[in-house]
Amino acid sequence: MPEAIKVLKAAGADLDFQEYDVNGDQYMRTGQPIPDAVWADLQKADAILFGAVGDPRVNDAAYLAGVLLRLRFELDLYVNLRPARLYDDRLSPLRREDRRKIDLLIVRENTEGLYVGMGGRFKKGTEEEVAIQEDLNTYLGVTRIIEYAFQAAKREVVMVDKSNAMTHAGALWQERWKAVAGKHPHVKTRHLYVDAASMQLVRDPTQFEVIVTGNLFGDILSDLTAELIGGMGIAPSGNVNPETRRGLFEPVHGTAPDIAGKAIVNPVGAILSASMMVRHLGQTEMAGAIESAVESALRAGECTRDLGGSLSTHEVGDAVAKRLRD
Ligand code: IPM
Ligand code: MG
């Protein structure tokens, strides 16, 4: 996060930053995932830049639900944007050169699906135990995410579901997909089951422009697409509500406790999330400048070791910031 803020400042972002401690220490001390006073401020913020959530000392679903999922749900950030663009050819795991020009966007539904936490456990702890996790899909939720995908696409939207096996939710997705697609005749449409979509993403990711899908499938596919462009260290995301204009921006990666504090973590995912944030705030040119600076640093090999470089986290932040100042 400090590297992302360093880069924003170097890019000339005219923003007031307010920093909040939302983390495992705070949670263990107070039992509150997000303190009330912090929550009140977050609700007022124009945008939220978020590090990552997860602490090996806190093995407690309430923490995750009370931090990231609460922000997504209660601020109604129903669009999760997960772009995957290959900035440097050498970062692609794909052997065929013609399949490396990756520039796609996953539009993940972010407020429904299997993430809502509905369900329960019956006869818990016995051999007769039953566990139910409910997959919530609403007319409004499905319609608005598909509609957003069409707004985001120039060429084609691919809708991904598992309507052959998950027939109830799948039928609703199919119906809303057809209805919304009908309103956008100039954009091509294609449907893929999620298993086939995973296969196609590995086989030839260049075929995709915009993929729209539910919460869980979007989570899974976006780790896959991150790996196609250099790994988890590089992938950014934005959680937005296009109507209220609220937004939370975060790297796709988690807290990586195994390498925390060693100054070797890749800050590019956080930096690119910050660029998505300024784009969301209307600073398109600044966002483009940050992306170009990242691209140039990556191509010059000025990166952390996960991408084959030797720089520290801070040095990568400096390398990107320097390009913005020059
Ligand atoms: C992500 C993460 C989260 C998710 C976890 C931390 C709940 O994997 O943002 O992709 O599943 O949405
Ligand atoms: Mg994930």
Side-chain angles (χ1 to χ4, degrees), residues 72 82 108 115 215-216 218-220 222-223 232 252-254:
R72 287 177 180 168
R82 301 205 149 178
R108 165 186 177 190
Y115 276 71
N215 208 339
L216 182 67
D219 176 50
I220 298 168
S222 58
D223 269 26
M232 293 304 286
V252 176
H253 65 66

Side-chain angles (χ1 to χ4, degrees), residues 1 4-5 8 17 47-51 247-250 270 273-275 277:
M1 217 27 58
I5 292 175
L8 284 174
F17 294 101
I48 301 167
L49 199 52
F50 186 88
L248 178 149
F249 300 81
E250 48 158 350
S273 300
S275 95
M277 180 180 81

Side-chain angles (χ1 to χ4, degrees), residues 212-252:
V212 63
T213 190
N215 208 339
L216 182 67
F217 297 152
D219 176 50
I220 298 168
L221 293 180
S222 58
D223 269 26
L224 191 161
T225 54
E227 215 50 49
L228 294 174
I229 57 159
M232 293 304 286
I234 222 178
S237 79
N239 303 251
V240 302
N241 180 313
E243 284 84 41
T244 64
R245 305 294 302 156
R246 285 183 190 288
L248 178 149
F249 300 81
E250 48 158 350
V252 176

